Amino acid sequence: MEHSSSETSEKTFTCQLCGLSSSYSYYGQKPPNTRAIVLLEECFVTKDPFNPDREKFLVLGSTCSLCSLCVCAGSDCSLFYTKRFCMQCVNKHLDQFPHQIQSELAKKKQSSKAAVS
Amino acid sequence: MDRDRRRDRRSWDWDSPQCRAQLDEVFFRRHDYIQAGSQEHRDFWSFFDRFQRFKTKREMAGGRQEDGGGQGKTVKVDLGLPKEYDARYRINVSVCTRDVEERLGKSEHRSRQSSSGPGEQEISDLRLALLHFLDFTQRQSFGKLAKLRREQKNLPIYQYRDRIVELVRSHPVVVVAGDTGCGKSTQVPQYLLSAGFTHIACTQPRRIACISLAKRVSFESLNQYGSKVGYQIRFEGTRTPATKLLFLTEGLLLRQIQQDLTLSQHQVLIVDEVHERHLHCDFLLGVLRTLVAERPDLRLILMSATINIKLFSDYFSSAPVLQVPGRLFPIQVIYQPIPSEEQPTRTEKLDPRPFLRILQGIDQRYPPEERGDLLLFLSGVAEISTIQEACQVYATHTSRWIVLPLHSTLSLAQQDKVFDISPPGVRKCIISTNIAETSVTIDGVRFVADSGKVKEMSFDPKAKMQRLQEFWISRASSEQRKGRAGRTGPGVCYRLYAESDYDAFAPYPVPEIHRVALDSLILQMKSMSLGDPLSFVFIDPPPAASIQTAVTYLKEQGALDGTGELTSIGKLLAQLPVDVVIGKMLVLGSLFNLVEPVLTVAAALSVQSPFLRSSQHNPDCATARQPLHSNQGDPFTLLSTFNAWVEVKKERGGGSRKWCRRRGLEEQRLYEMVNLRRQFKELLRSHGLLESENRDASAGDRGQRRERLTERRKLHQMKRDHEKQENSKRKVLRLEEGQDGEMSSGSDTEERGRGKKDKEGPGQNVDIQEVKFKLRHNITELQDAVTVSADMSSRQQALLKLLLCRGLYPQLALPDEHNSTRKDSEQVFHTKNKQGVVIHPTSVFAIDPEVLHVPEDDSREGPDRGDSSRHQLLAFVTLLETNRPYLSNCVRVPALQALLLVANSVDSNADCTRLVVDGWLEVELRDAEEALKVLSTVLTHRAEWERLLRVKLEQNTVEGALGQGVSRRVLEKLSEGLVRFLLYTEVTYSLRRLAAFQIQNLYVGPQPESELSRDLKPLFPGAEAKPHPIKGGLRVSSFFTYNCLADSRDLYSECLRTFWTCPNCDLYMPLTPLERMQHEASCRPAGEQQQQQEEEPEDKKPGPSSMSSLNRVYHCDVCDEDLTLTSTEILKHKRQHMYSTK
Ligand SMILES: [Zn+2]
Ligand SMILES: [Zn+2]
């Protein structure tokens, strides 16, 4: 079983912002064996490698709803707020996001700066 | 609506299990993504509680405020984002359970009043929580993945990724050289995997590394729960047909090559840590060198530290080298040579002052808040305990150190402590042998103190003895030790020697192949048909003398024949992954009905002793151990210990842990023994030396089977749970740790044991070893097997001793004749090649040496002092010189009987009253009559033993041979005969070592072939008696040469003839001893001859002792006629002429 699944899953997802790459086994909104669960965007999905249950999925990333950049789900690369936005687009249109998100991003920027210096 | 909600809430209780169960019916059904009862389900509900608390808190803090803020802004609805912020919009998942909700809704309407089921509000509360939970788990897993990828990218080797793949694609052999921390061991296999290579095998010098690397790499390649990455070591493995990358030991890969010379199961071979130059690795490289030439599709990657790279590249016709920088932080080197007044002398203990100064220096220079532990390298265990003691005093005084020893003879629990964390403000001081140089990696080390010394095993071929000696380390080792200080941050390395010393060190350590006995290596080479070991192209050829010694030894052991080819037993021994002596025991044991005890003993002698050295001086342990001791010898003590342990396991399961602790036993070794024992059993079975087990016995009825299945499932679950927990955090050490020192390490009292358990927490209570044991072994079967060996009669015991002795031969030691007048601690023994050896203090004979003395009343009997019928010898497993040459694992055997039954060479004088065994032991028998009787018994028994062994060994070459080649009756007769000989031979004799001058003039030397000796030849059925070309005299059998000793009288002198009546036939005539033995060897009681005829079926080839073979063609010169006669008949015939001519 494992053999066949790993044979077919040699497609690779690569984040165009941070370069994170990993093989994915499904692209779409309804990963296999997820029953009542539906994704609200088309995602690159793989089996969650950190969960012993082989039916658990992990969303690696998706495409930015504005610029179609392929981005990972990491908070440095993208943000989901009803839709997926890459960080470049978020920053471009920051004023349109609710202030909760704005202040959150500002806080993060500060702390990452502090970590660098 | 509001009122409704309130009413519902009254009857709805989130904390009630019933209420939760109702929601489980909606969201966590059997086919849902998360199912009730699963781990995720439990995780969800605890998440739910936290989530609700968080919500309540936010509501109380006035959550409305947020919304207001959001609304206050003027928004360009360009992106189409909702105006009001909701955390829910940040989740890219939705859950639909409409079907169930609708159903529930209907039933709710029907019985609204009495219903306490979930209302819409509850459903939506739960849905929201679930969404957040799913988002949370997604973030969690993604975070792990991102961290993993980040770490991989940060490794120095990462930038060489494509280059490595490219090199491997274009070259059959590639050398990757990189220092500690560059990531080669974990990354290179992954690069190849993701480049599309499969069937990759990666060898490691250490078993433990195979396991940990497989674990790490499967995690990193996101296959933690799959079997794409596996390992295979001696007893266990995780390999499946889906495995693409396999970590295995060098030894195991060699075994695979032995079975399939083309190694077709692998396409890529990575040989890691080649610079360590282990025996197996050097040999493996030699074999692979040929294989690469034969298999152009094979890819070989050698991985090494950045030392001596050219050697490896050149060996594989200038293979390309890729050098990767390591990732080490800067390390400051401080040379602090030991002043001459503190230099250790040969006899004195190590002076601790130089080491204490380092601890003090660290305390003075570095504030305790700056973390960082000290790793101190010493040469050996004795040195470690000396320094540990001194450091502990300092540690107790300052409360700033926890002192921990680290060496391989410690209990595993004790070894494991070095990984625990010290409390704040306290440093660990780990005092270690060179085990921490490569094998064990401890994080958090900032300071290294290097004594510059190492104890290494070397082999002295002249004395056939291993020697553990102290040496200066090499510059490579020195750098390696230093590097241990810079793994996690900048460090300091104190060298307790001068820079000029360092410069004078050898560049590299001496490769193992130059230091150790090569017996097993040569045996393996022979079985792989690699031709003359002397002409094999090793990367660094061992000394020719070393190879020669091994060949001679293997010949002595009977594994090689005179021409250096494998004998049938040798072929088998080459297949067994054990020492030649242990392998021999197994084969011998399978012949007699002593398989079970022999399996146990062989396993016990192949692992480290379970008896912890440190508990030897603990009186409680000593008392508790007492019943396990056997004064027959250490193998018997091990046997009874193992048997007792199995009994305890049967009765108390995991309670065996406590049982072991009380007796100062390392239970891990017993687990190793039981595993090895099983492996031996399987090996014997696969070689046809053991019948396959009766499966019915373990089947039971269906109910029992189901029960067992359920039990197994439970055990598997426990094992998985344990593996999940294994990555949990390290324990924090107590400041008093170390203070109780080594003494109580393995022998924790019950109280301490309990305390430990508490510390580990409830989840850790599972004894994983016990779980694995239960999964691997059927305790009832094991107990049956053990019962066989536990209830051994003295006769079986005698036979077992003989088998052990024959296995261990020529490793025999003679007690010094003056031992009975010496103190217990000064008992001396002699081997053929080494005089004045002593018994290791752990041996049972060190505690009870009197059982080896010749009984006094007995020795007074003879005319000479030293005459007795009860001399004994020791057969031993190892002779190792540390500060003295020590014998370990000894068993005592009756001297004369054992020697005659196992020795390769027995020489006699004319009346057989003087025997010389293997050219070093002299036996003088008082009574010629008895001497003859003993010898002819031996000749008969040995011939029969050899014959049966040959049949047994040959039977397994023809696959599926019908029935047993050796009938039980024949076998029983032989063992009966052997036992009787061992136990009831009451012959008085003296036993001594030959002096050097005696050895020089031992033999009469070659004699001109006389007419008579030609006549004697046909008298021997089977063996040919011909003059020995060197010793002189007559070679009667492969081991016995008659009348070759220099004091011998004329072989045919009539005065040696005495009248003798054969008990089997009617023969009565004057015979020389030789003639008499010859007659006895061929003459069997009438009944027995018939029996034998019946036993040998007609279709079978006639055995050497069957009737037909007794007939020989004899040419009588007097009659001038060819006669077909048995040897007795020939004798009679000749005698007839003799008397007539007289
Ligand atoms: Zn990214
Ligand atoms: Zn974008």
Side-chain angles (χ1 to χ4, degrees):
Chain A
M1 216 171 87
E2 188 197 341
H3 214 181
S4 60
S5 73
S6 61
E7 295 291 271
T8 55
S9 68
E10 287 314 313
K11 298 164 287 186
T12 305
F13 162 84
T14 306
C15 172
Q16 287 176 276
L17 283 184
C18 72
L20 177 137
S21 86
S22 193
S23 66
Y24 69 95
S25 50
Y26 174 81
Y27 178 73
Q29 285 187 277
K30 192 79 192 75
N33 305 319
T34 46
R35 317 296 163 184
I37 290 167
V38 177
L39 298 175
L40 299 175
E41 53 171 344
E42 308 251 289
C43 290
F44 295 92
V45 177
T46 184
K47 183 196 117 33
D48 182 352
F50 307 105
N51 195 313
D53 185 344
R54 46 175 59 248
E55 311 236 304
K56 297 287 179 279
F57 67 91
L58 173 64
V59 171
L60 294 169
S62 62
T63 47
C64 173
S65 59
L66 287 183
C67 70
S68 301
L69 206 62
C70 196
V71 281
C72 75
S75 61
D76 290 339
C77 296
S78 75
L79 182 143
F80 187 86
Y81 193 69
T82 69
K83 283 176 259 183
R84 180 72 57 184
F85 299 99
C86 77
M87 239 28 201
Q88 290 173 349
C89 290
V90 171
N91 287 325
K92 233 180 277 172
H93 307 277
L94 196 59
D95 55 332
Q96 294 191 43
F97 286 87
H99 82 99
Q100 282 88 348
I101 288 180
Q102 290 180 25
S103 60
E104 205 181 289
L105 291 176
K107 236 185 261 166
K108 220 173 88 183
K109 215 176 244 171
Q110 253 179 355
S111 69
S112 71
K113 255 189 203 155
V116 169
S117 59
Chain B
M1 172 72 191
D2 253 331
R3 217 178 296 146
D4 268 7
R5 196 148 99 194
R6 227 169 282 135
R7 199 191 51 218
D8 277 351
R9 278 215 175 137
R10 233 176 286 127
S11 55
W12 184 263
D13 177 10
W14 278 114
D15 293 330
S16 133
Q18 284 86 1
C19 289
R20 289 191 176 200
Q22 282 175 319
L23 283 171
D24 286 348
E25 286 293 306
V26 181
F27 289 96
F28 308 116
R29 291 161 299 168
R30 239 192 39 224
H31 297 291
D32 273 321
Y33 186 63
I34 295 172
Q35 292 134 32
S38 67
Q39 183 61 45
E40 273 77 22
H41 179 247
R42 283 191 293 276
D43 291 348
F44 168 76
W45 279 113
S46 66
F47 176 86
F48 180 84
D49 293 336
R50 273 178 284 145
F51 186 69
Q52 293 295 92
R53 273 201 301 276
F54 172 74
K55 255 184 13 186
T56 328
K57 222 164 98 189
R58 210 180 42 185
E59 265 168 37
M60 289 201 337
R64 295 265 158 215
Q65 208 188 346
E66 283 178 12
D67 295 350
Q71 274 170 333
K73 277 213 166 155
T74 39
V75 171
K76 273 191 287 165
V77 198
D78 191 14
L79 301 182
L81 299 180
K83 287 180 188 160
E84 210 168 307
Y85 175 81
D86 193 327
R88 183 183 170 160
Y89 294 142
R90 305 185 67 167
I91 300 169
N92 68 343
V93 185
S94 103
V95 178
C96 34
T97 44
R98 189 142 304 146
D99 51 329
V100 198
E101 282 168 49
E102 274 167 10
R103 222 170 353 102
L104 266 174
K106 265 180 229 150
S107 63
E108 204 184 349
H109 277 296
R110 240 182 288 138
S111 55
R112 184 127 208 164
Q113 269 82 1
S114 61
S115 164
S116 60
E120 265 172 57
Q121 184 61 40
E122 281 78 30
I123 297 269
S124 89
D125 278 357
L126 193 105
R127 188 199 309 283
L128 186 65
L130 179 56
L131 289 179
H132 278 279
F133 176 69
L134 288 171
D135 188 53
F136 166 76
T137 54
Q138 286 290 316
R139 280 175 202 279
Q140 215 178 22
S141 283
F142 187 85
K144 278 189 197 166
L145 177 67
K147 178 169 176 253
L148 185 62
R149 292 291 190 246
R150 221 166 28 239
E151 284 169 356
Q152 286 177 327
K153 253 187 175 171
N154 285 338
L155 287 168
I157 201 163
Y158 185 76
Q159 56 191 109
Y160 300 90
R161 186 191 154 111
D162 296 335
R163 179 87 186 114
I164 290 169
V165 171
E166 189 189 304
L167 277 175
V168 172
R169 284 223 172 94
S170 54
H171 295 84
V173 185
V174 176
V175 180
V176 176
D179 282 322
T180 317
C182 80
K184 59 182 186 311
S185 299
T186 53
Q187 303 305 303
V188 171
Q190 287 186 73
Y191 297 164
L192 297 176
L193 259 186
S194 48
F197 288 99
T198 56
H199 300 97
I200 306 168
C202 179
T203 69
Q204 292 295 325
R206 285 167 288 274
R207 271 177 269 170
I208 191 88
C210 294
I211 301 175
S212 58
L213 278 172
K215 211 164 163 184
R216 181 67 204 169
V217 172
S218 63
F219 173 78
E220 283 195 25
S221 55
L222 309 182
N223 202 258
Q224 193 179 357
Y225 299 101
S227 57
K228 202 165 85 184
V229 181
Y231 68 87
Q232 205 176 357
I233 54 172
R234 192 149 72 158
F235 306 123
E236 43 189 322
T238 55
R239 190 185 193 180
T240 72
T243 302
K244 292 178 173 180
L245 166 62
L246 180 71
F247 288 93
L248 76 176
T249 54
E250 291 155 351
L252 209 61
L253 186 67
L254 276 171
R255 298 259 161 228
Q256 291 181 352
I257 300 176
Q258 211 175 341
Q259 267 138 36
D260 169 18
L261 291 174
T262 64
L263 205 56
S264 52
Q265 56 177 312
H266 304 300
Q267 276 159 25
V268 181
L269 294 175
I270 305 172
V271 184
D272 201 0
E273 317 282 13
V274 287
H275 63 277
E276 289 191 16
R277 304 295 307 278
H278 294 281
L279 178 64
H280 275 147
C281 188
D282 269 16
F283 177 44
L284 183 62
L285 291 182
V287 175
L288 293 179
R289 194 170 170 270
T290 330
L291 188 59
V292 167
E294 283 162 13
R295 266 190 66 187
D297 63 312
L298 188 73
R299 304 283 101 165
L300 175 62
I301 299 104
L302 309 184
M303 301 210 287
S304 137
T306 51
I307 48 171
N308 222 354
I309 309 163
K310 198 170 174 305
L311 176 76
F312 300 105
S313 171
D314 288 351
Y315 187 52
F316 285 94
S317 40
S318 308
V321 175
L322 189 107
Q323 203 161 336
V324 182
R327 189 174 58 183
L328 272 187
F329 292 91
I331 300 161
Q332 185 193 359
V333 177
I334 300 169
Y335 287 97
Q336 275 184 12
I338 297 174
S340 56
E341 68 271 18
E342 292 172 6
Q343 287 283 358
T345 56
R346 251 194 106 71
T347 47
E348 272 171 46
K349 275 188 172 180
L350 211 54
D351 192 326
R353 281 176 292 177
F355 302 92
L356 286 171
R357 275 199 296 274
I358 289 172
L359 269 72
Q360 282 167 336
I362 292 171
D363 282 342
Q364 282 160 13
R365 242 159 282 154
Y366 304 92
E369 309 84 65
E370 274 181 31
R371 292 200 79 110
D373 301 321
L374 167 66
L375 176 58
L376 210 159
F377 285 101
L378 293 176
S379 62
V381 177
E383 289 75 10
I384 288 176
S385 44
T386 306
I387 301 306
Q388 185 195 352
E389 219 172 276
C391 288
Q392 188 53 56
V393 175
Y394 178 76
T396 312
H397 177 69
T398 60
S399 295
R400 282 171 75 170
W401 294 89
I402 289 173
V403 185
L404 299 168
L406 176 63
H407 49 83
S408 60
T409 59
L410 283 177
S411 75
L412 297 177
Q414 187 83 12
Q415 284 185 35
D416 208 44
K417 271 194 190 152
V418 303
F419 298 109
D420 291 345
I421 305 159
S422 57
V426 178
R427 297 178 201 282
K428 283 187 285 183
C429 167
I430 299 157
I431 311 181
S432 170
T433 57
N434 63 339
I435 189 174
E437 200 175 299
T438 46
S439 321
V440 179
T441 300
I442 309 151
D443 281 327
V445 171
R446 180 176 171 192
F447 307 99
V448 162
D450 176 14
S451 67
K453 299 284 177 62
V454 67
K455 272 192 187 151
E456 246 170 15
M457 202 70 96
S458 58
F459 180 69
D460 176 352
K462 222 163 139 195
K464 283 298 293 175
M465 178 175 72
Q466 295 194 326
R467 202 172 265 145
L468 192 65
Q469 279 175 297
E470 194 178 77
F471 299 99
W472 280 111
I473 56 172
S474 65
R475 289 203 291 275
S477 295
S478 175
E479 288 304 294
Q480 184 72 31
R481 290 180 178 189
K482 175 185 114 188
R484 296 275 140 173
R487 294 187 63 258
T488 34
V492 184
C493 174
Y494 302 91
R495 285 179 169 160
L496 294 163
Y497 42 86
E499 193 162 4
S500 56
D501 291 327
Y502 174 84
D503 292 334
F505 287 172
Y508 314 110
V510 181
E512 202 178 359
I513 201 165
H514 288 267
R515 294 189 276 117
V516 300
L518 302 178
D519 314 331
S520 300
L521 179 74
I522 301 297
L523 191 63
Q524 212 171 3
M525 291 182 77
K526 290 281 181 188
S527 84
M528 291 163 83
S529 317
L530 293 175
D532 183 1
L534 282 167
S535 56
F536 186 80
V537 186
F538 283 102
I539 190 160
D540 190 353
S546 202
I547 294 178
Q548 206 44 61
T549 308
V551 170
T552 313
Y553 178 75
L554 291 171
K555 281 181 184 167
E556 279 172 5
Q557 292 280 6
L560 296 180
D561 64 19
T563 63
E565 291 309 306
L566 280 179
T567 58
S568 47
I569 195 168
K571 276 183 202 138
L572 186 59
L573 292 175
Q575 304 291 321
L576 302 175
V578 285
D579 260 15
V580 175
V581 289
I582 308 286
K584 259 169 69 193
M585 278 179 210
L586 287 170
V587 175
L588 294 167
S590 71
L591 179 63
F592 295 98
N593 282 327
L594 280 169
V595 189
E596 299 297 348
V598 167
L599 282 169
T600 306
V601 171
L605 295 178
S606 307
V607 304
Q608 258 186 45
S609 169
F611 292 99
L612 286 165
R613 278 302 296 277
S614 49
S615 352
Q616 211 183 9
H617 306 290
N618 179 329
D620 292 339
C621 280
T623 318
R625 272 181 195 183
Q626 197 53 48
L628 303 174
H629 280 196
S630 162
N631 72 14
Q632 300 298 324
D634 304 307
F636 286 85
T637 299
L638 289 166
L639 180 65
S640 69
T641 303
F642 181 82
N643 290 343
W645 177 71
V646 169
E647 291 294 336
V648 172
K649 281 213 91 68
K650 165 82 181 160
E651 279 165 32
R652 281 181 263 164
S656 62
R657 198 178 353 184
K658 197 166 81 189
W659 184 87
C660 285
R661 209 161 26 220
R662 277 219 182 123
R663 282 153 188 80
L665 289 164
E666 173 62 65
E667 191 168 29
Q668 184 59 30
R669 308 277 169 253
L670 291 158
Y671 283 119
E672 283 168 18
M673 271 161 70
V674 74
N675 290 337
L676 194 56
R677 188 182 189 284
R678 179 170 145 160
Q679 194 198 18
F680 287 165
K681 204 169 193 176
E682 276 158 15
L683 275 166
L684 290 181
R685 245 181 233 142
S686 69
H687 287 90
L689 291 176
L690 205 60
E691 282 170 85
S692 31
E693 215 139 289
N694 199 350
R695 271 196 207 91
D696 295 339
S698 60
D701 63 40
R702 191 186 285 186
Q704 284 172 314
R705 245 176 307 169
R706 198 180 305 130
E707 213 170 280
R708 258 204 311 276
L709 213 67
T710 324
E711 158 103 19
R712 282 188 79 78
R713 226 174 267 143
K714 221 173 80 198
L715 289 168
H716 272 297
Q717 187 55 47
M718 283 164 90
K719 192 174 160 212
R720 271 196 298 273
D721 290 348
H722 176 87
E723 277 159 8
K724 249 196 258 173
Q725 279 178 350
E726 250 186 351
N727 298 327
S728 61
K729 282 188 186 145
R730 304 291 326 185
K731 283 171 277 180
V732 176
L733 291 160
R734 292 168 298 138
L735 193 56
E736 328 69 84
E737 204 81 45
Q739 276 182 13
D740 30 65
E742 229 179 310
M743 292 310 156
S744 60
S745 62
S747 59
D748 290 2
T749 56
E750 263 175 84
E751 280 71 30
R752 277 200 55 183
R754 222 181 291 135
K756 210 170 180 179
K757 246 183 213 166
D758 292 343
K759 198 168 63 173
E760 281 165 357
Q764 294 277 358
N765 252 337
V766 178
D767 180 351
I768 189 64
Q769 292 300 338
E770 161 80 8
V771 171
K772 283 189 186 167
F773 171 85
K774 277 190 179 159
L775 275 173
R776 213 171 281 159
H777 305 279
N778 179 338
I779 183 76
T780 320
E781 251 174 60
L782 195 61
Q783 200 203 14
D784 290 347
V786 154
T787 317
V788 175
S789 46
D791 302 340
M792 254 195 305
S793 64
S794 61
R795 302 162 73 85
Q796 283 171 306
Q797 206 173 51
L799 196 57
L800 178 56
K801 274 186 175 176
L802 176 66
L803 298 193
L804 299 187
C805 179
R806 186 165 171 192
L808 293 173
Y809 174 85
Q811 290 162 200
L812 298 175
L814 172 75
D816 188 86
E817 50 189 325
H818 303 299
N819 272 355
S820 52
T821 60
R822 287 198 178 98
K823 278 200 291 188
D824 279 6
S825 55
E826 283 160 17
Q827 304 283 308
V828 178
F829 297 80
H830 312 284
T831 74
K832 184 182 179 187
N833 302 303
K834 180 84 187 169
Q835 293 176 26
V837 299
V838 295
I839 288 183
H840 198 268
T842 52
S843 171
V844 67
F845 296 120
I847 301 159
D848 192 9
E850 265 150 58
V851 293
L852 296 174
H853 298 164
V854 173
E856 264 178 46
D857 52 333
D858 205 78
S859 59
R860 251 182 257 124
E861 242 174 53
D864 274 329
R865 279 190 328 127
D867 271 16
S868 170
S869 61
R870 289 194 247 167
H871 292 286
Q872 293 182 94
L873 291 175
L874 282 183
F876 59 88
V877 179
T878 43
L879 170 54
L880 168 68
E881 188 176 82
T882 51
N883 50 349
R884 297 178 78 179
Y886 286 114
L887 299 174
S888 308
N889 279 327
C890 309
V891 59
R892 62 186 168 103
V893 289
L896 179 69
Q897 295 93 313
L899 283 174
L900 294 182
L901 285 175
V902 307
N904 276 344
S905 152
V906 177
D907 305 314
S908 82
N909 62 358
D911 63 358
C912 300
T913 52
R914 181 171 173 246
L915 304 172
V916 170
V917 182
D918 289 333
W920 74 290
L921 285 174
E922 184 190 56
V923 175
E924 278 191 291
L925 298 110
R926 292 298 143 221
D927 185 320
E929 184 73 15
E930 279 179 342
L932 276 178
K933 218 170 85 194
V934 164
L935 266 173
S936 60
T937 311
V938 165
L939 282 170
T940 323
H941 285 343
R942 279 186 72 155
E944 180 69 352
W945 195 356
E946 285 318 302
R947 183 183 74 85
L948 296 184
L949 201 56
R950 210 166 38 238
V951 173
K952 182 98 187 171
L953 289 173
E954 273 159 14
Q955 147 211 334
N956 72 65
T957 56
V958 188
E959 224 172 317
L962 281 168
Q964 271 176 287
V966 183
S967 92
R968 183 165 297 171
R969 191 138 39 107
V970 175
L971 208 59
E972 264 162 24
K973 213 181 134 274
L974 173 63
S975 36
E976 180 60 34
L978 288 172
V979 166
R980 211 180 308 136
F981 179 66
L982 285 167
L983 292 178
Y984 308 120
T985 302
E986 295 279 340
V987 188
T988 308
Y989 62 99
S990 68
L991 177 66
R992 67 181 71 83
R993 247 173 334 133
L994 287 173
F997 73 91
Q998 286 175 298
I999 292 169
Q1000 272 172 12
N1001 308 304
L1002 198 54
Y1003 301 113
V1004 287
Q1007 296 155 304
E1009 209 169 310
S1010 71
E1011 260 180 54
L1012 264 166
S1013 78
R1014 231 189 303 123
D1015 270 355
L1016 275 164
K1017 270 191 247 173
L1019 294 177
F1020 287 92
E1024 264 178 69
K1026 56 180 173 187
H1028 196 287
I1030 300 156
K1031 295 178 181 174
L1034 271 183
R1035 209 180 140 174
V1036 175
S1037 77
S1038 61
F1039 67 95
F1040 179 49
T1041 309
Y1042 170 72
N1043 205 24
C1044 63
L1045 294 179
D1047 69 332
S1048 298
R1049 278 161 281 180
D1050 177 11
L1051 178 52
Y1052 305 103
S1053 121
E1054 284 297 318
C1055 67
L1056 280 173
R1057 289 189 198 277
T1058 47
F1059 271 93
W1060 180 69
T1061 318
C1062 175
N1064 298 333
C1065 64
D1066 294 335
L1067 184 80
Y1068 175 75
M1069 56 175 86
L1071 298 176
T1072 66
L1074 188 60
E1075 286 166 344
R1076 191 176 135 184
M1077 272 187 279
Q1078 288 160 353
H1079 176 82
E1080 279 187 308
S1082 60
C1083 181
R1084 294 285 161 87
E1088 193 185 314
Q1089 283 178 5
Q1090 235 166 28
Q1091 240 180 46
Q1092 258 184 344
Q1093 256 179 327
E1094 282 160 18
E1095 267 166 19
E1096 310 284 344
E1098 304 86 79
D1099 57 323
K1100 281 227 168 154
K1101 54 201 181 302
S1105 67
S1106 71
M1107 278 305 284
S1108 55
S1109 72
L1110 289 177
N1111 286 326
R1112 331 208 111 235
V1113 178
Y1114 169 68
H1115 179 83
C1116 177
D1117 292 332
V1118 185
C1119 315
D1120 196 21
E1121 214 181 325
D1122 280 331
L1123 305 163
T1124 307
L1125 300 169
T1126 68
S1127 42
T1128 313
E1129 287 164 341
I1130 299 172
L1131 210 58
K1132 278 184 182 162
H1133 181 87
K1134 282 205 303 179
R1135 201 88 17 238
Q1136 172 196 322
H1137 290 306
M1138 264 169 80
Y1139 288 119
S1140 59
T1141 48
K1142 264 181 190 170

